Amino acid sequence: MASKDSFYIRFDWAAKRLLRDKANFAILEGFLSALLGEQVTILEILESESNRLNPYDKYNVVDIKARNHRGEVIIIEVQNLYEMDFVKRIIYGASKAVVEQVSSGDPYGVIHKVYSIAIVYFDLGSGGDDYVFRGHTNLIGMHSHKELKVSERDRKGYETDTYDVFPEYYVLKVNNFDQVATTPLEEWMDYLKRGYISPSTQDSGLQRAQEVLGREAMTDAERYEYDRYLIAKRSQQDSMEKERDEGRAEGRVIGFSEGRIESALLMLESGMTREQVISILHLSDEEAAQL
């Protein structure tokens, strides 16, 4: 049975506040190594789109964009709430990361592979009972069924023997994970779902997480802000579930229910300002007037 000290702060909160610090790159490296099945070293954290668009919103979609030791771009995105066009959003993010590598006049050879990793906490898609899904591109002959590979002439321009330059997509459906963790990847899934890290873990990333992601490592101000974050997420989730139960959301969220106003009042009672609540829940002027 796990002790209380074996549970740690949420990954999405850590991604916002701690994982962009070079001293904590080992945490992301451990996660990526477990997922991709090879040792990954992060060289730098790149500016991500959501940070540029909304730098002061601590409650929006969480993403990290990093560059590894091979120059490849890795996008890690955490999505807590349902979004109808989320798959298209994944494609857009990966495509944008490809385009951003090329300036006017640059040869296409400067393009490095992009990994898109989506960590989702809602029921995305149907027909899959796994918890990790992977998508990548191979060029296969329609008649011969053989794979098109790089020629000897062009091989020097590639880091692999095949056309392994297309974006690679991973979707981690966290809520689908329901088993005893025996591998590093399963240990990471257990942490993503429950915040639990085994005291005996041998994964270097999780070992580093144990050092820096405990509540006891937070300042009083950080604990207060983290608790507010949890309340906001819980309120959002409760409102979404209530709307779905009442039939007000079919594939997408339509409007704001009375439950959303109730959530807003709860958030105000927790110490958030009126402006923060309006921003988090995207309240209209009419709804805001009810606060």
Side-chain angles (χ1 to χ4, degrees):
M1 190 70 178
S3 68
K4 182 178 180 181
D5 292 338
S6 298
F7 290 86
Y8 296 83
I9 62 176
R10 288 175 57 110
F11 181 83
D12 50 356
W13 172 265
K16 277 284 186 184
R17 293 299 192 91
L18 301 171
L19 301 189
R20 289 175 167 84
D21 186 337
K22 191 169 185 178
N24 296 324
F25 280 6
I27 297 176
L28 288 176
E29 290 169 350
F31 167 65
L32 293 170
S33 297
L35 177 64
L36 302 180
E38 61 174 306
Q39 188 62 42
V40 174
T41 301
I42 295 176
L43 295 184
E44 60 178 330
I45 300 296
L46 306 173
E47 186 62 49
S48 59
E49 182 179 62
S50 70
N51 289 339
R52 288 199 300 268
L53 293 177
N54 205 351
Y56 302 109
D57 184 0
K58 302 180 181 64
Y59 308 99
N60 63 351
V61 174
V62 179
D63 65 21
I64 294 179
K65 186 187 292 184
R67 192 185 306 279
N68 69 10
H69 56 291
R70 291 198 293 263
E72 298 167 333
V73 176
I74 301 173
I75 303 169
I76 303 173
E77 182 169 348
V78 185
Q79 180 79 2
N80 291 286
L81 300 178
Y82 175 79
E83 184 174 327
M84 182 174 64
D85 294 328
F86 187 67
V87 172
K88 293 182 179 180
R89 176 183 179 141
I90 292 174
I91 296 172
Y92 171 80
S95 301
K96 194 168 188 296
V98 171
V99 173
E100 288 175 342
Q101 297 181 53
V102 184
S103 299
S104 179
D106 284 346
Y108 294 120
V110 302
I111 296 176
H112 289 277
K113 183 171 181 173
V114 172
Y115 293 87
S116 173
I117 300 168
I119 302 172
V120 299
Y121 288 84
F122 59 89
D123 189 18
L124 176 67
S126 62
D129 57 359
D130 207 324
Y131 55 89
V132 177
F133 296 84
R134 176 184 178 226
H136 59 105
T137 302
N138 290 328
L139 302 179
I140 306 297
M142 291 179 61
H143 304 95
S144 68
H145 305 294
K146 294 182 180 180
E147 183 179 358
L148 180 65
K149 297 187 177 182
V150 177
S151 67
E152 290 291 339
R153 180 191 62 190
D154 297 329
R155 185 165 295 170
K156 62 182 180 179
Y158 292 85
E159 297 178 355
T160 64
D161 290 336
T162 64
Y163 283 99
D164 190 23
V165 295
F166 294 101
E168 193 163 317
Y169 302 90
Y170 289 82
V171 175
L172 279 61
K173 295 182 67 173
V174 177
N175 293 336
N176 279 13
F177 180 77
D178 186 20
Q179 61 193 62
V180 176
T182 59
T183 68
L185 179 56
E186 290 169 351
E187 287 186 318
W188 273 101
M189 293 300 300
D190 207 10
Y191 166 59
L192 292 174
K193 183 173 183 177
R194 300 193 297 141
Y196 174 76
I197 302 176
S198 170
S200 61
T201 183
Q202 298 300 305
D203 183 271
S204 59
L206 290 174
Q207 289 175 341
R208 177 59 179 163
Q210 288 174 323
E211 296 175 6
V212 300
L213 300 187
R215 284 182 64 94
E216 70 280 359
M218 289 177 160
T219 65
D220 290 342
E222 287 172 337
R223 277 192 289 270
Y224 175 70
E225 190 69 22
Y226 180 59
D227 289 339
R228 292 170 63 192
Y229 179 80
L230 294 180
I231 291 173
K233 287 299 181 186
R234 192 177 303 117
S235 297
Q236 288 176 322
Q237 187 64 39
D238 289 346
S239 294
M240 294 284 287
E241 290 176 356
K242 185 174 181 179
E243 288 178 354
R244 285 198 297 269
D245 291 343
E246 295 178 354
R248 286 194 289 266
E250 297 180 2
R252 63 189 180 93
V253 178
I254 303 175
F256 293 91
S257 67
E258 293 179 359
R260 186 144 314 212
I261 300 301
E262 294 172 1
S263 297
L265 295 174
L266 177 63
M267 293 159 69
L268 286 172
E269 291 176 3
S270 74
M272 292 187 188
T273 66
R274 186 172 180 274
E275 289 71 23
Q276 288 173 323
V277 172
I278 293 172
S279 174
I280 293 167
L281 297 181
H282 305 289
L283 299 181
S284 66
D285 291 341
E286 180 180 350
E287 291 160 338
Q290 300 180 48
L291 299 183

